[in-house]
């Protein structure tokens, strides 16, 4: 099974304290494996596996003092590199961060309205990004994406945020799935979209994608989005899309845990004691995730399970069962 992307939580230290953070990151967050261990137990194995991307995430990856070295080494062994960042610290790296060192740069922005973005991410963040960071990225020649996590607080802001993304020169707008994990657990302001409004929101994502075709790439990692698309094959017994956890992507946690997704607290090994390639190729949990017939409940019976499969993280949080139904699915029982 080809590994497209491995996301490594390289630190839980963060200069912000976002209310919807799934990672419990903050100013006192711990750092991940040291550079030497990371090279031996994460980066080198990924290169041998011919993985495409290593994504540095957190926390805030820019707070790792050796990030430049880790990026350079990853590139030297043939990996493409990605940084998932809040963006605020990027201009401070002007002495070393270049477009040639990072293939994908994803900056989080939650709304075109400063008051909503800053309510979710912290005072002054909107102005810092729009007024300083995005112009700096453009002046340096970076190709960057803006990432939005829709909640009940900002779900109405999608179209205007897309307009803003075009104005500031972003290459793409990425829509992520909110999960009530980590700091976000129990946060009423940033609660998940209601089942009924989720379909409406994802339909709007599809409309925005069509509107900006050729000018802005609009992507959505919510597996349920695939239920609305018309250009995907819908027959066969191979995974064709939807949730990529354990199928095309995996995650390495702060202490070396091997996980199916950064947002799923379900370790299936640890790089400090386990061979990452052997886990990826042979773990029983991954075998189940790669067989959509192994899913339970409505997801297991759904005719679109091969292009969707539901969010495994949402299923785990809702039921404690990694293979159970996605609680946010809007489809009626008659479909199954």
């Amino acid at each position: 099974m080809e590994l497209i992307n491995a996301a490594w939580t390289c630190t839980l230290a963060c200069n912000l304290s976002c209310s919807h953070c799934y990672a419990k990151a903050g100013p006192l967050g711990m750092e991940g494996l040291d550079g030497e261990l990371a090279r031996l137990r994460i980066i080198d194995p990924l290169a041998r596996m011919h993985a495409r991307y290593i994504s540095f995430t957190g926390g805030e990856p820019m707070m790792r003092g050796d990030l430049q070295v880790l990026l350079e080494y990853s590139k030297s062994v043939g990996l493409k590199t990605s940084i998932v960042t809040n963006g605020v610290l990027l201009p401070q790296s002007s002495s070393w961060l270049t477009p040639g060192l990072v293939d994908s740069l994803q900056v989080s922005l939650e709304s075109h309205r400063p008051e909503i973005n800053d309510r979710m991410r912290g005072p002054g963040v909107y102005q810092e990004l729009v007024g300083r960071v995005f112009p700096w990225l453009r002046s340096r020649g970076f190709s960057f994406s803006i990432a939005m996590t829709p909640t009940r607080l900002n779900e109405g802001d999608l179209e205007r945020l897309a307009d803003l993304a075009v104005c500031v020169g972003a290459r793409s707008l990425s829509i992520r799935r909110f999960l009530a994990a980590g700091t976000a657990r129990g946060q009423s302001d940033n609660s998940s979209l209601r089942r009924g409004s989720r379909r409406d929101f994802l339909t709007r994502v599809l409309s925005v994608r069509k509107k900006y075709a050729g000018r802005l790439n609009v992507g959505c990692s919510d597996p349920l989005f695939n239920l609305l698309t018309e250009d995907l094959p819908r027959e066969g017994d191979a995974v064709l899309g939807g949730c990529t956890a354990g199928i095309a992507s995996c995650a390495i946690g702060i202490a070396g845990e091997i996980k199916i997704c950064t947002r799923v607290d379900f370790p299936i090994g640890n790089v400090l004691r386990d061979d990452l390639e052997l886990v990826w190729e042979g773990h029983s949990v991954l075998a189940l995730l790669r067989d959509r017939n192994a899913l339970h409940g409505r997801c297991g019976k759904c005719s679109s399970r091969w292009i969707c499969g539901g969010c495994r993280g949402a299923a785990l949080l809702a039921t404690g069962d990694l293979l159970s139904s996605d609680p946010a699915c809007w489809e009626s029982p008659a479909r199954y």
Side-chain angles (χ1 to χ4, degrees):
M1 187 67 67
E2 182 182 13
L3 178 57
I4 304 298
N5 180 62
W8 174 35
T9 302
C10 63
T11 182
L12 284 180
C14 188
N15 53 313
L16 303 182
S17 297
C18 300
S19 59
H20 61 301
C21 179
Y22 64 85
K24 292 187 177 180
L28 301 179
M30 65 184 292
E31 190 157 292
L33 305 185
D34 65 46
E36 183 62 24
L37 278 174
R39 287 190 290 271
L40 291 174
R41 306 302 297 174
I42 299 175
I43 300 174
D44 285 344
L46 290 176
R48 290 194 296 269
M49 297 163 66
H50 302 289
R52 294 191 198 177
Y53 273 92
I54 178 171
S55 293
F56 294 87
T57 185
E60 174 49 55
M62 301 304 298
M63 294 188 72
R64 267 199 76 120
D66 61 349
L67 183 60
Q68 177 185 358
V69 175
L70 293 168
L71 289 167
E72 290 173 344
Y73 185 76
S74 298
K75 296 287 285 186
S76 74
V77 296
L79 294 171
K80 291 186 176 181
T81 57
S82 173
I83 300 176
V84 181
T85 174
N86 62 48
V88 173
L89 301 178
L90 287 174
Q92 297 180 20
S93 64
S94 60
S95 63
W96 62 267
L97 187 62
T98 64
L101 197 55
V102 57
D103 296 284
S104 174
L105 191 60
Q106 188 179 95
V107 183
S108 298
L109 184 68
E110 309 300 349
S111 175
H112 67 285
R113 294 181 288 169
E115 67 273 16
I116 296 300
N117 181 81
D118 292 358
R119 185 168 168 180
M120 296 175 70
R121 294 202 156 265
V125 172
Y126 177 93
Q127 184 56 45
E128 184 69 11
L129 293 179
V130 175
R132 188 170 77 103
V133 175
F134 294 147
W136 179 83
L137 289 172
R138 294 183 72 176
S139 70
R140 299 269 291 182
F142 283 97
S143 175
F144 64 95
S145 303
I146 286 177
M148 172 198 190
T149 303
T151 70
R152 297 181 195 180
L153 191 62
N154 67 340
E155 62 180 299
D157 298 347
L158 171 65
E159 290 81 2
R160 293 289 298 279
L161 182 61
D163 293 340
L164 178 61
V166 172
C167 288
V168 300
R171 171 180 56 85
S172 62
L173 175 63
S174 176
I175 311 300
R176 302 185 290 206
R177 174 80 174 257
F178 169 83
L179 290 182
T183 304
R185 188 182 298 274
Q187 291 279 349
S188 58
D189 268 358
N190 296 301
S191 52
S192 183
L193 303 182
R194 295 176 179 87
R195 184 180 298 181
S197 64
R198 184 176 299 275
R199 181 172 189 172
D200 174 67
F201 178 82
L202 295 178
T203 299
R204 289 162 51 209
V205 172
L206 188 60
S207 296
V208 169
R209 171 187 279 184
K210 293 176 179 177
K211 174 183 177 180
Y212 283 106
R215 291 185 293 160
L216 181 72
N217 295 323
V218 179
C220 183
S221 62
D222 189 330
L224 299 178
F225 180 65
N226 284 2
L227 298 177
L228 303 174
T229 57
E230 301 173 352
D231 56 351
L232 292 171
R234 292 178 177 268
E235 295 181 357
D237 58 356
V239 174
L240 302 170
C243 182
T244 66
I247 299 170
S249 61
C250 71
I252 312 299
I254 193 68
E257 319 95 284
I258 303 171
K259 306 190 294 182
I260 65 168
C261 172
T262 56
R263 304 182 183 209
V264 176
D265 189 16
F266 193 94
I268 57 174
N270 192 296
V271 297
L272 295 179
R273 65 172 184 272
D274 301 312
D275 184 291
L276 181 57
E277 184 172 10
L278 291 178
V279 172
W280 178 254
E281 293 296 336
H283 200 282
S284 59
V285 168
L286 300 185
L288 290 172
L289 290 172
R290 294 164 185 171
D291 177 11
R292 294 268 167 87
N293 287 324
L295 298 178
H296 305 325
R298 297 193 304 169
C299 281
K301 299 174 183 177
C302 181
S303 60
S304 295
R305 62 189 178 279
W306 300 105
I307 65 167
C308 173
C311 175
R312 297 300 96 216
L316 182 68
L317 283 173
T319 68
D321 182 354
L322 193 63
L323 300 175
S324 64
S325 298
D326 185 335
C329 184
W330 58 78
E331 294 290 353
S332 66
R335 178 185 180 86
Y336 303 93

